[in-house]
Amino acid sequence: MLRILLLGAAALALLAVAVLLGVAIGETRLAPATVFQVLANQLLGARYPVDPIDQGIVWNYRLARALVAASCGAGLAISGVILQSLLRNALAEPYLLGISAGASTGAVLVSVAGLGAGAVSMTTGAFFGAVCAFALVALLAHAAGSGGLRNGAQIVLAGIAGSQLFNALTSLIITKSGSAEQARGIMFWLLGNLSGVRWSDTLLTAGVALAGMAVCAWHARALDAFTFGTESAAALGVPVRRLQLVLLLAAALITAVMVSIVGAIGFVGLVIPHAARFIVGVRHRRLIPVSALMGAVFLIAADVISRTLIPGQVLPIGVITALVGAPVFAAILLRGRGGRV
Amino acid sequence: MLLRRLAFSLLLSAAPLAASATDYPLQLQNCGHTLKFDKAPASAVTIGQAGTEMLYALGLGDRVSGTSLWFNAVQPQFKAIDDKVPRLADNDPSFEAVIGKRPALVVSQFEWMVGKEGVVGTREQFHDLRIATYAMPSDCEGKNNLSGADGTRTAAYDVNTLYKSIQQLAQIFDVEARGQALVQELRQRQAKAVTQLQSPRLRNMSAALWFSSADLSIDPYMAGQKGVAGYMLQTLGLRNIVTSAEEWPTVGWETIAKANPSMLIIARMDRRRFPADDYRKKLEFLKKDPVTRHMDAVKNNRIVIVDADALQGSIRMVDGIEQIAQAALELQAPAR
């Protein structure tokens, strides 16, 4: 018990350090003392005289951004854990279900095709697109398989078909768009961008990430069972169809919410569960919290890099997650040859 | 004395008419292509509002057989002419819609419309059908349109490319005197606006120009150094706080707020594809956001609203320069 408490405290400390770094490092240079004073003013009620712009940058922009990055990283990593276990596919990740492609279509419909005429934001469009895509993919998988979602391969194939369909729709709308500026705006958003997040997004993303963790933790043993296949899980007394539905819905909703807030950030759901499995093994009781923590720290770090790599310019965070994630993934694969990865 | 004055004023008024008539066949260089004209084109299709209004301003409205790619409503003085001209598309027209008008010339504002990777067609495709093409020098000189989504400026925007396009189109259509008069008018108006701002009190004023944003609170598209809007600020002696050389870079609000410019210029447009296209939403954001609301320009309402078309390499650019100069004078912002 003491060991668990110590590990939990260490994890929280690591997360706090990552969030602090996310707050301290940004596009412009702020003195560490200013950062400390702002945090002390806001959290401890201190009354340091701080420039209101600096105060706003630290508290409203950077802290909210770091917390949303942490929540999205944790949420996407958990979605990856669920899908890889349920589908028994090492390459399974949230985007496989066509959720990202659907979110992209929804966002593009709003911003390029003018659906909602400015009244509906891209975030709302992305959420509806993501949910529609997942519903379509799930229906297709259900119709294709005699046993519903019993066969992981069917939903993987349905996801690929759905992704292709929605990617084609996105391309069609962008091709018909009026200007290169719009195409650039959409591309930037599709590759992920945290610049627009504020405190209101923090509550939603943190809530969804925590709920996702709770659902996973509650079904940790069932997820262990699914790793050995649906028949083994059924033999162990797991209500296969019901849990498959619940867990798939959880993964889909987590991804839809995260993608709608920050755009389509790839690689987190694919890489992090593998990296976590390499460190703590395949048991979900450990795998879930460790994946969530690693996802959170990874996305905060990627966001800091995206803001500071080119001075005066912010890169889409998806570019960083792919540039960092791909070599890490390759390293994990190479180190794990013949091992458990 | 009276006779001398009369003779002098007659000479002045006749000066634009002194321009010679075009000698055909005419040969001129345009964006890496050699164009040849045996006679003035009987009709033209325009792709882009800048070229359309340029032809209208040259009194060539009756030669325009179709227009496309509109950003805003036509300038009021050209409304009567424009009402008679078919609008092929609000955005990019199809290749067949353009050639269907059997134009002798296609005037295109952007190379991404008609160019090596043109979405309407390549110049060669039109030339194969014996249709001449004219590309606006402001979009190709000092700019590489094969890199980046909007092309990349290799040199800062040069207003002489605008004058060049007016003079070359006037030459092609054999209305050189009108071209010279138009260029002269634009030069004079710009010089007057610049002179107005030569006050020591206004020296070192800084500015930032927000065009639009893909979503309201994310990094906005700001005027960079090398584009048309960057040129306008520089010409007026306003320091652009955005240091990026790009034409319309995305710059974080954190960077803009920290730079705290003396004045903010925001674009007004009829387009409603991004929420931030509506200048009222831009104003609302600036006043509500926990960081931007503390900027000096927002607190003291030193915000100027300029028509988006006045930020393009078009004859409207001078309207924009005049507007910004006038606003700077009225705001009388303290030097920063």
Side-chain angles (χ1 to χ4, degrees), chain A residues 196-290:
Chain A
V197 300
R198 299 288 185 268
W199 276 106
S200 52
D201 303 309
T202 313
L203 278 179
L204 177 64
T205 49
V208 168
L210 286 173
M213 277 179 74
V215 169
C216 280
W218 187 257
H219 296 111
R221 294 189 66 180
L223 282 165
D224 283 343
F226 276 122
T227 313
F228 300 102
T230 47
E231 282 170 13
S232 311
L236 289 169
V238 173
V240 171
R241 287 194 70 174
R242 188 171 63 81
L243 276 193
Q244 269 181 329
L245 190 68
V246 167
L247 291 168
L248 267 179
L249 267 177
L253 278 175
I254 294 169
T255 311
V257 169
M258 302 309 181
V259 167
S260 70
I261 301 286
V262 300
I265 301 173
F267 250 87
V268 182
L270 180 64
V271 169
I272 298 296
H274 283 291
R277 222 173 273 127
F278 182 74
I279 295 169
V280 295
V282 295
R283 300 295 292 269
H284 285 80
R285 203 161 56 90
R286 288 177 185 171
L287 187 59
I288 291 159
V290 170

Side-chain angles (χ1 to χ4, degrees), chain B residues 146-166:
Chain B
L146 294 177
S147 82
D150 300 319
T152 308
R153 284 219 172 261
T154 51
Y157 170 76
D158 182 354
V159 73
N160 286 314
T161 56
L162 169 66
Y163 302 146
K164 189 177 180 179
S165 53
I166 295 170

